[in-house]
Amino acid sequence: MLLSCAPCELLLPSSRVVNTNGRALLRGMLFPRESASRELKELSGLWDFRADQSPGRSLGFDSAWYKSRLAETGPVIDMPVPASYNDITQDPKLRDFIGWVWYDREVVVPARWVADKGTRVVLRVGSAHYYSVVWVNGVKVMEHNGGHLPFEAEIGDIIRENPQAPCRITIAVNNTLTLETLPPGSIQHMDDTSKYPNGYFVQNTNFDFFNYAGIHRPVLLYTTPKVYVDDITVVTDFSDNTGLVSYKVSVLGASTTNVKVTLTDKHGRCVASSSGPSGVLKVTDVNLWWPYLMHDNPGYLYSMEVRHHADESVAYEDIYTLPVGIRTVRVTSTQFLINNKPFYFHGVNKHEDSDIRGKGLDWPLIVKDFNLLKWLGANSFRTSHYPYAEEILQMCDRHGIVVIDECPGVGIKDIRSFGNASLAHHLDVMDELVNRDKNHPSVVMWSVANEPAAEMPPAGFYFKMLISHTKALDPTRPVTFITDSNYARDKGAPYVDVICVNSYFSWYHDPGHVEVIPIQLTNQFENWYGKYQKPIIQSEYGADVVPGLHSDPPMMFTEEYQKIVLQSYHKVFDQKRKEYVVGELIWNFADFMTAQGVTRVVGNKKGIFSRQRQPKAGAFILKDRYWRLANETGRLPPWNKYPCLL
Ligand code: BDP
C-alpha cells in the first residue's frame, strides 16, 4: 500500500462502522454507562506507539504488525491515550507526520466476562483521527472512516478463542485526507528534485486548524447481556405544566421486547413509568430543561431507566439509564424559541485544542473551559468545526449550555468534493452524528457545514440533499449551515432554518479600518434578512490578538484592536437583535493551533482567551456584555454573579 494511493484504496464508501465483510451495521451508539447489568473497563493510559516511517507507509501492513506485539516489530515509544500524538515528542517528523501510525496494548479481561457466554464484550473507541483499523489478537474487528465519532465492535468470540492469553488490541490510524473525506484534503507530491528531496509530499487542506491526529477520545471495553438495549430515542414536549417524553427503545438479540421504562427526578422519585418498546411518559409539575442564565435552575435532568426483563427465553435483564432534559425548540421568522421563550445566543465558538494534548480529551481542560464559559456569562457554543466529545455534551446538558452541533464539513472548497461519493459520506456522517447526539437537550440545532464554496453549481443540490436528509433524521431540531457574508452567491441558504453568517469586516476585508464595520455589518444583516426572512446568528466575528501587544490608536493584532472590533460589532447587534438577529458567537473562545503560514503567529490568535486560557482585553468586554444581555433577556442566578465560584 503506497501512501500516494493508500487513502483512496483504503477508505470505504461508508463512514458507518463496518464489519470485516464491509457491510454497514446500522445500530445504536449509546454512550457506555455502568449499570447493574453492564460493566466498564477504561483503557486510557499508556499504549505502545510506532509511526510507519517507510516511504510508502506500507511497512506495517506488509509486515502485519497487528500479528504480534508492536514492540516485537521494531522500536516503540510511550503514547498517552487519549491525546494527539503530534506534540508529545520533540520530533518535527512526528508532529507533521502523514500516514499510518500504530498503537497497541494488552488488556487483562475479567475472567467472568470471558467465561460467561451470555455476556457481550464490546470494544469502543470514542474517536480516532482520521481512518482507523482495529485488530484484537491479530483479528481485524472493525474499520472506521471519520475522525470525530465513536465506533465499536463486539469482541467476545475472539477473546474466548484463547481465554488464557492476554487480549492484545492494535489500532492503526491514518490522518490522510482526500477530496472525499470530511474535512477534505489532498496529498501533493513535489517531484522537482532541484527543490525537494526524493519522494517529498505535503498534505493540503482548506481549513484553519492543525490536523491533529491519533486516538483522541477514550478507548474502553464494556459489557452488556446478549439481549440488550441497543438504542433509545427520546423526543420531549410539554403542555401547560405537564412534560411529555416520547420514547422508543430498540432491543437486539431477541424477538421479544419486554421493556419497562421509569423516569425519576433529581431526588430519585419516580415521576412516570411505562411498559413496551415505545410510549409517552407524562410528567406532572414538570421541571423543564432551561439554558444557563435563562432560569434559576438551568440544566434540569431526569433519569430514564430502561429495563429489558429476563424471562424463560432471555437469561439476563439489561438496564440502561439515560439522562433526559424536557424542552422544546422552535424557530419563527424572527426568533429562536426554547420552551416557547425567545432565546438569544450569547456565546462562543470553540475548538478541541490545547497545549501538548492537541485534540485529546482532557478533563482538567474541559472543566476549566466550562468555568470560563460561566465566568463569561456565555449561554451557548458551536462545536466548530466537528463533533466534540460526548463527555463535553454531557457537561452542556448538566450546566444548561446550549449547543449548535456541527459536523466536520469544513473546508469544502474544491468542486470535486461536491460529487456523489462526498455526498454519500456526508450523509453517513450526519447519520452517525444525529444518532450519537439526538438525546442531548443541550443540542438545539445541527450545522451541516462551515463556509463551503456555496457559490459552486453543484452546491444547491448537495445542500438540498444534505439538509433535507438531516431534517428527516431529526424533525425536532432546526438545521443550518454556516455561510460567509456574501448572500448573493449562496445556494444552500434556501434550505436552512436559521441563517448563520461569518464575517470579518476590518480584518480580512478593509484591514485596519474599523470605521467600516457599522455600514458593512448593517448591510450584511439587511441583505440576508431581506432575501430569506429567517432569523440570523452572527456565527463568527473577531480579530487576532498577540496577547500583551498594545497600541493606541488601535492597530491590528493588539488588545485594543480586538476590543474596538468587538465593540463596533456589538453596537450593530444591539440594533438588529430587536428585529431578527438571534445570536452572536465570538470567534474564538481561545487561541488554537493551525498549520504554519504567513498569517498565523504560532496558531490562530483570535481567542478572547490565550491557548493557556488566560483572558485578553476582549474577554472583559464580552463578560460585561454577556452578563448585561443575560440580565435583559434571562434570569441571573439570585445567589451570585459567578456561580462557578461557589
Ligand atoms: C473563518 C473560519 C474559521 C477560521 C476563521 C479565521 O470559519 O475556521 O479560523 O475564519 O480565519 O472563516 O480566523
Side-chain angles (χ1 to χ4, degrees):
M1 240 167 292
L2 292 177
L3 183 78
S4 52
C5 56
C8 320
E9 278 179 1
L10 273 171
L11 295 184
L12 298 173
S14 165
S15 67
R16 293 180 183 120
V17 176
V18 290
N19 64 17
T20 45
N21 303 324
R23 186 168 51 83
L25 298 175
L26 289 168
R27 40 176 294 177
M29 212 17 107
L30 292 174
F31 186 77
R33 292 175 193 280
E34 281 177 320
S35 74
S37 64
R38 295 176 174 226
E39 290 170 76
L40 288 184
K41 190 175 167 80
E42 274 273 359
L43 304 181
S44 298
L46 291 186
W47 289 51
D48 278 351
F49 176 91
R50 187 174 178 197
D52 184 343
Q53 303 274 5
S54 63
R57 308 294 195 247
S58 59
L59 186 64
F61 283 93
D62 295 346
S63 312
W65 286 357
Y66 49 87
K67 284 205 170 145
S68 59
R69 287 169 53 232
L70 209 47
E72 287 164 22
T73 69
V76 292
I77 59 172
D78 286 343
M79 189 54 69
V81 171
S84 302
Y85 59 73
N86 309 75
D87 292 344
I88 297 294
T89 74
Q90 297 307 101
D91 185 355
K93 284 214 306 279
L94 186 59
R95 183 192 60 203
D96 298 325
F97 184 79
I98 303 164
W100 290 103
V101 298
W102 292 72
Y103 291 77
D104 88 347
R105 67 164 281 180
E106 287 182 349
V107 183
V108 178
V109 181
R112 201 193 51 73
W113 295 10
V114 183
D116 182 358
K117 292 208 173 110
T119 295
R120 288 172 71 240
V121 181
V122 182
L123 170 61
R124 186 189 212 255
V125 181
S127 79
H129 190 76
Y130 177 84
Y131 193 92
S132 309
V133 187
V134 184
W135 296 262
V136 173
N137 294 339
V139 179
K140 184 155 88 176
V141 294
M142 57 181 157
E143 299 188 22
H144 186 254
N145 177 11
H148 311 89
L149 290 163
F151 47 100
E152 62 180 34
E154 192 187 344
I155 62 165
D157 289 349
I158 295 171
I159 53 182
R160 282 182 196 114
E161 269 169 27
N162 189 355
Q164 307 314 325
C167 165
R168 190 182 66 257
I169 300 171
T170 310
I171 306 182
V173 186
N174 192 335
N175 61 350
T176 308
L177 301 175
T178 73
L179 290 167
E180 287 154 9
T181 57
L182 282 184
S186 57
I187 299 289
Q188 187 180 2
H189 291 268
M190 312 298 210
D191 297 330
D192 181 348
T193 49
S194 70
K195 289 189 181 159
Y196 303 101
N198 238 338
Y200 193 80
F201 59 85
V202 291
Q203 173 148 271
N204 295 320
T205 57
N206 273 311
F207 52 83
D208 183 36
F209 52 90
F210 191 78
N211 190 34
Y212 277 114
I215 302 178
H216 283 157
R217 296 182 192 149
V219 181
L220 48 85
L221 292 176
Y222 72 91
T223 65
T224 75
K226 277 282 178 217
V227 179
Y228 64 101
V229 175
D230 176 59
D231 199 13
I232 305 169
T233 306
V234 296
V235 171
T236 65
D237 199 350
F238 64 93
S239 161
D240 299 324
N241 66 345
T242 303
L244 303 167
V245 180
S246 307
Y247 71 88
K248 220 171 140 194
V249 174
S250 90
V251 172
L252 289 187
S255 50
T256 57
T257 45
N258 195 355
V259 168
K260 171 109 200 251
V261 174
T262 314
L263 198 70
T264 53
D265 67 11
K266 277 213 158 150
H267 307 288
R269 283 188 293 252
C270 172
V271 293
S273 64
S274 174
S275 298
S278 62
V280 181
L281 300 165
K282 291 202 173 109
V283 187
T284 47
D285 294 326
V286 63
N287 282 302
L288 295 178
W289 186 94
W290 287 99
Y292 175 55
L293 299 179
M294 207 171 166
H295 193 266
D296 292 345
N297 190 9
Y300 192 96
L301 295 175
Y302 292 89
S303 292
M304 187 169 117
E305 185 198 81
V306 176
R307 195 178 278 256
H308 182 261
H309 286 287
D311 56 23
E312 318 76 58
S313 59
V314 177
Y316 299 109
E317 70 172 357
D318 188 25
I319 302 166
Y320 187 91
T321 303
L322 181 77
V324 171
I326 302 177
R327 59 106 186 92
T328 59
V329 178
R330 210 160 54 80
V331 167
T332 71
S333 63
T334 55
Q335 290 176 313
F336 196 100
L337 302 170
I338 296 183
N339 300 337
N340 299 330
K341 295 248 164 63
F343 177 74
Y344 187 78
F345 293 79
H346 41 91
V348 304
N349 290 277
K350 291 185 94 264
H351 262 297
E352 288 183 318
D353 175 273
S354 70
D355 284 336
I356 304 172
R357 291 138 184 85
K359 293 198 176 301
L361 180 131
D362 181 53
W363 276 113
L365 180 79
I366 292 173
V367 176
K368 176 75 178 175
D369 280 4
F370 273 79
N371 284 334
L372 289 175
L373 287 170
K374 289 186 150 187
W375 175 87
L376 201 60
N379 63 3
S380 51
F381 66 79
R382 166 161 79 109
T383 69
S384 42
H385 291 306
Y386 37 79
Y388 290 1
E390 290 153 279
E391 291 83 346
I392 295 176
L393 295 183
Q394 288 160 9
M395 288 283 281
C396 291
D397 292 343
R398 285 179 34 236
H399 291 271
I401 301 293
V402 167
V403 175
I404 300 173
D405 202 351
E406 188 155 294
C407 91
V410 56
I412 308 178
K413 303 286 189 194
D414 188 306
I415 198 157
R416 290 168 293 174
S417 295
F418 285 105
N420 287 344
S422 296
L423 178 59
H425 177 56
H426 210 145
L427 296 174
D428 279 347
V429 172
M430 288 313 301
D431 286 351
E432 285 184 49
L433 175 61
V434 173
N435 196 24
R436 190 194 73 160
D437 292 348
K438 62 191 171 187
N439 293 326
H440 288 286
S442 57
V443 173
V444 299
M445 180 155 65
W446 306 111
S447 161
V448 299
N450 179 69
E451 294 184 2
E455 73 286 4
M456 287 186 174
F461 174 75
Y462 190 96
F463 285 106
K464 187 176 173 188
M465 299 303 290
L466 194 54
I467 292 166
S468 59
H469 180 78
T470 309
K471 285 187 185 178
L473 287 173
D474 178 6
T476 70
R477 288 177 177 90
V479 181
T480 190
F481 83 132
I482 314 293
T483 188
D484 63 22
S485 54
N486 193 337
Y487 77 105
R489 299 182 320 187
D490 208 294
K491 294 200 161 36
Y495 311 111
V496 302
D497 298 304
V498 175
I499 304 274
C500 286
V501 190
N502 298 346
S503 57
Y504 288 91
F505 304 126
S506 83
W507 193 262
Y508 293 120
H509 313 280
D510 305 294
H513 292 284
V514 287
E515 63 279 10
V516 305
I517 293 174
I519 179 165
Q520 295 191 0
L521 187 58
T522 304
N523 281 334
Q524 165 198 285
F525 286 139
E526 288 184 355
N527 288 337
W528 278 103
Y529 194 74
K531 187 152 181 197
Y532 293 109
Q533 289 90 52
K534 292 177 185 178
I536 302 179
I537 295 175
Q538 180 75 38
S539 41
E540 288 183 27
Y541 71 105
D544 285 79
V545 180
V546 177
L549 268 195
H550 294 283
S551 82
D552 184 54
M555 289 179 70
M556 293 175 77
F557 294 100
T558 65
E559 306 230 6
E560 288 74 14
Y561 195 85
Q562 189 185 48
K563 242 167 108 169
I564 196 162
V565 169
L566 266 51
Q567 285 166 330
S568 309
Y569 267 79
H570 295 164
K571 281 196 191 126
V572 181
F573 295 160
D574 281 339
Q575 289 159 17
K576 295 297 170 192
R577 72 189 168 87
K578 294 185 197 124
E579 302 175 36
Y580 47 76
V581 168
V582 297
E584 52 186 88
L585 305 174
I586 186 78
W587 190 261
N588 188 282
F589 173 73
D591 293 346
F592 57 91
M593 194 48 69
T594 63
Q596 298 184 64
V598 290
T599 60
R600 296 289 175 253
V601 189
V602 194
N604 186 308
K605 293 276 186 282
K606 292 194 185 70
I608 52 163
F609 296 101
S610 66
R611 202 181 193 208
Q612 295 69 36
R613 274 47 180 182
Q614 295 307 319
K616 302 179 191 174
F620 294 98
I621 298 287
L622 274 189
K623 173 168 162 277
D624 284 352
R625 176 172 176 77
Y626 284 0
W627 282 100
R628 193 159 44 74
L629 286 172
N631 226 341
E632 276 175 41
T633 61
R635 193 93 165 249
L636 289 193
W639 62 91
N640 191 321
K641 227 180 151 186
Y642 308 118
C644 59
L645 300 181
L646 284 181

